[in-house]
Amino acid sequence: MHTTLEDVKKHPVFHYFAEISAIPRGSGNEKEISNYLLRFAKERNLEAVQDEALNIFIKKPASEGYEHVPAVILQGHMDMVCEKNKGTAHDFEHDPISLQLKDDMLYASNTTLGADNGIAVAYALALLDSSGIPHPALEIIITTEEETTMKGALEASPEIFSGEIFINLDSEEEGKLLVSSAGGITATQALPIQWETAPKELKGYKIQLSGLFGGHSGMSIQKGRGNANKLLGRILHDLSVLFPFSLHSINGGMKSNAIPREAEAVIYLPADASIDLPKLVSNWEHVLKNELRTADPEISVTVEETAESPDKLYSVKTTQNVITSLMLIPSGVLSMSQEIEGLTESSTNLGVVTSNSQEVRFVSEIRSSVKSLKQQTVEQNNLIAQLTESRFSTEADYPEWPYLPDSKVRRLFETVYKDLYGNPPEIVAIHAGLECGVFTEKLPHIDAISLGPDMFDVHTPEEHLSVPSTIRTWDYLKAVLQEMNNFYKS
């Protein structure tokens, strides 16, 4: 076990991880880290290119005896998610990440660590700086804005690559080799609000759902957790069948790629209406607690009167269109893979519902490892938008990474892993997006795989990286590169 942070930083991978941790590199703020990588290459007389998206492409010639092996493309991204604990005085635009060693885990100080995906950059730099690691020709591509739009990968020019072997270093579990990922697209339905003058005598109520677990819409969608937006839609639909009311606002969820944990709606009904709304809402809480007793046992559905007296409310038609949208927009698992057991093939997540003075927006994250099924769900949402007279749009479209049954690079990684550790690695596919999908579409001839060391709680201030796992994965990567001389015969 390494006893101090300074001891850890003597290892070449952690030396470079510490260097890049001193450079602010949140998504969209990558100019400085991109320039650093360019300087690094030029100082070592390596061929390097910085493109308009600030991607960095670096080439290193093959070691002696490895000239016959196809060039290897090593890929990761330079940007990181910037999150910090409440009350933490850290400026991600200017301040370095403060590294902390706790036992054999590397943390930051109340911020995200940036091991996702700084560890890929550190592996690449350590390889480029070494003169004693045998390897084929290397083509390093470090991309930008992976955490937000995948802009860097999407704008990377395919003409710059000659490699046939593609190794992505953006995985987070040692001993697991990723071989497929989903494509995705964000779909938005914007429903224009027609306002009507509010009657004088009204009762207002805020209905709230909370206590749901939520989770990443790619990694947790198969767990059957409740979607607060969809559940609120069911409640509002049920109430609309029993008595007339008008909506004044509705909001739920924070991000399209997160299963929404909370949602709320403010409704108004005549002051003289003999409706026991608290009892009806309480009944719904009982129903949902029963349905979600395993996946979301802490779900809470509450209602409280509001003292606000609005001048206007949604029209009857707008109120019905909102409820129709919530009921009909699909959300959840749509299909399971027939090739890889337990893998979600297609899903969609109604992650965000927001309202302002002009419109109600419904934002869904659609995923599939089959392009035609992804498009089918897009068209389904589009038809619902037409039905409710909403404007429909899509953005952030990225391709899937299809499973390759006869992958030679997978067999190589399996062979070396078993030689090193005695057991085969786990072969997995994920229902989330990786840049592998973008590159396999741009470069259809490549044979791709993804790996990485153990890291935990990524995208949170509790993010941490296993030091021993990082070193083992480094040794594994070096062993794979060395074995390519034998595996790919001239």
Side-chain angles (χ1 to χ4, degrees):
M1 179 184 296
H2 297 80
T3 57
T4 68
L5 180 59
E6 291 307 312
D7 186 28
V8 170
K9 286 159 62 173
K10 293 176 182 177
H11 190 280
V13 172
F14 286 103
H15 167 77
Y16 285 112
F17 186 76
E19 281 208 1
I20 65 173
S21 295
I23 304 171
R25 50 191 174 89
S27 302
N29 182 38
E30 295 116 325
K31 180 66 173 174
E32 188 176 350
I33 182 67
S34 181
N35 288 344
Y36 162 85
L37 295 173
L38 186 64
R39 287 195 305 272
F40 172 95
K42 291 188 178 299
E43 288 169 358
R44 289 157 181 79
N45 296 314
L46 297 171
E47 182 181 341
V49 174
Q50 181 184 64
D51 66 16
E52 291 185 1
L54 298 181
N55 297 317
I56 293 294
F57 177 81
I58 305 171
K59 295 179 71 172
K60 185 177 183 180
S63 302
E64 184 177 354
Y66 283 74
E67 295 86 353
H68 67 280
V69 181
V72 174
I73 304 170
L74 280 170
Q75 189 268 323
H77 61 90
M78 66 183 78
D79 62 316
M80 63 175 282
V81 169
C82 296
E83 293 288 341
K84 62 182 178 180
N85 286 325
K86 187 176 181 180
T88 299
H90 184 93
D91 181 356
F92 282 106
E93 293 287 322
H94 303 97
D95 295 343
I97 299 297
S98 177
L99 303 180
Q100 311 285 329
L101 184 67
K102 300 178 183 178
D103 297 323
D104 61 357
M105 295 288 180
L106 193 64
Y107 288 77
S109 180
N110 294 307
T111 71
T112 38
L113 175 64
D116 175 19
N117 189 223
I119 200 62
V121 181
Y123 281 146
L125 296 180
L127 273 175
L128 292 170
D129 195 40
S130 170
S131 59
I133 301 172
H135 60 78
L138 298 178
E139 299 179 347
I140 310 293
I141 175 70
I142 308 296
T143 55
T144 56
E145 296 190 44
E146 188 273 347
E147 299 290 0
T148 50
T149 63
M150 292 199 185
K151 175 184 176 181
L154 290 167
E155 294 191 9
S157 172
E159 286 76 19
I160 203 167
F161 300 98
S162 65
E164 299 177 18
I165 303 164
F166 187 92
I167 303 174
N168 169 276
L169 297 168
D170 193 14
S171 295
E172 298 163 5
E173 292 182 270
E174 182 188 1
K176 293 186 177 183
L177 299 175
L178 288 186
V179 296
S180 176
S181 64
I185 190 170
T186 303
T188 299
Q189 293 161 234
L191 194 162
I193 298 171
Q194 296 176 357
W195 294 95
E196 292 183 349
T197 302
K200 294 296 183 183
E201 301 297 327
L202 292 171
K203 280 185 179 178
Y205 297 91
K206 180 185 288 187
I207 301 172
Q208 294 179 295
L209 280 88
S210 60
L212 296 161
F213 281 130
H216 189 281
S217 69
M219 307 304 290
S220 300
I221 199 76
Q222 80 286 357
K223 295 180 180 179
R225 293 174 179 172
N227 179 307
N229 292 329
K230 293 291 290 181
L231 297 176
L232 180 59
R234 289 176 60 189
I235 294 171
L236 293 176
H237 172 68
D238 181 63
L239 297 180
S240 72
V241 172
L242 298 175
F243 58 88
F245 64 83
S246 294
L247 277 164
H248 183 256
S249 66
I250 184 166
N251 294 282
M254 299 292 290
K255 296 181 178 180
S256 64
N257 64 356
I259 302 169
R261 298 180 294 109
E262 299 178 349
E264 65 178 41
V266 177
I267 69 171
Y268 284 85
L269 55 155
D272 59 358
S274 57
I275 304 295
D276 190 349
L277 191 58
K279 181 178 180 180
L280 293 172
V281 171
S282 178
N283 289 341
W284 262 104
E285 182 179 64
H286 177 75
V287 168
L288 297 178
K289 277 187 174 293
N290 178 60
E291 290 181 2
L292 299 168
R293 58 187 178 275
T294 300
D296 278 300
E298 301 301 317
I299 185 174
S300 171
V301 187
T302 62
V303 61
E304 60 180 23
E305 287 195 42
T306 175
E308 182 182 355
S309 298
D311 296 327
K312 56 185 181 179
L313 300 170
Y314 293 5
S315 69
V316 173
K317 183 177 182 180
T318 297
T319 295
Q320 188 55 54
N321 278 340
V322 169
I323 295 172
T324 298
S325 297
L326 290 171
M327 290 293 289
L328 295 186
I329 294 173
S331 197
V333 174
L334 302 178
S335 64
M336 300 296 293
S337 172
Q338 299 302 302
E339 293 181 308
I340 303 175
E341 185 177 356
L343 174 66
T344 302
E345 180 179 68
S346 304
S347 75
T348 181
N349 176 61
L350 178 55
V352 180
V353 177
T354 58
S355 61
N356 55 31
S357 62
Q358 297 180 325
E359 62 187 18
V360 181
R361 293 172 63 86
F362 305 86
V363 187
S364 297
E365 189 75 15
I366 299 168
R367 302 176 189 270
S368 182
S369 51
V370 180
K371 183 178 295 185
S372 59
L373 293 178
K374 183 177 73 172
Q375 187 59 33
Q376 173 185 300
T377 308
V378 170
E379 293 303 325
Q380 184 177 355
N381 282 40
N382 190 11
L383 288 171
I384 295 167
Q386 294 176 34
L387 178 66
T388 58
E389 301 179 5
S390 303
R391 297 186 305 277
F392 183 76
S393 63
T394 59
E395 62 180 349
D397 188 1
Y398 58 90
E400 69 285 350
W401 171 22
Y403 174 68
L404 186 63
D406 58 347
S407 168
K408 188 172 183 178
V409 73
R410 184 177 70 246
R411 294 199 304 273
L412 166 64
F413 271 83
E414 288 181 295
T415 299
V416 173
Y417 190 93
K418 192 169 183 179
D419 288 345
L420 286 175
Y421 305 115
N423 298 306
E426 185 178 351
I427 305 301
V428 298
I430 59 170
H431 189 60
L434 277 180
E435 290 168 297
C436 295
V438 178
F439 284 102
T440 53
E441 183 175 73
K442 287 176 180 285
L443 306 165
H445 64 282
I446 62 173
D447 192 355
I449 201 160
S450 178
L451 73 155
D454 286 332
M455 57 186 80
F456 309 90
D457 299 322
V458 297
H459 297 187
T460 79
E462 298 304 313
E463 179 184 1
H464 52 291
L465 171 71
S466 167
V467 172
S469 177
T470 300
I471 295 172
R472 285 193 300 269
T473 302
W474 167 246
D475 292 337
Y476 176 37
L477 178 62
K478 290 189 298 179
V480 167
L481 293 174
Q482 182 171 350
E483 181 60 21
M484 285 182 180
N485 186 35
N486 297 319
F487 202 79
Y488 293 85
K489 298 295 185 180
S490 56

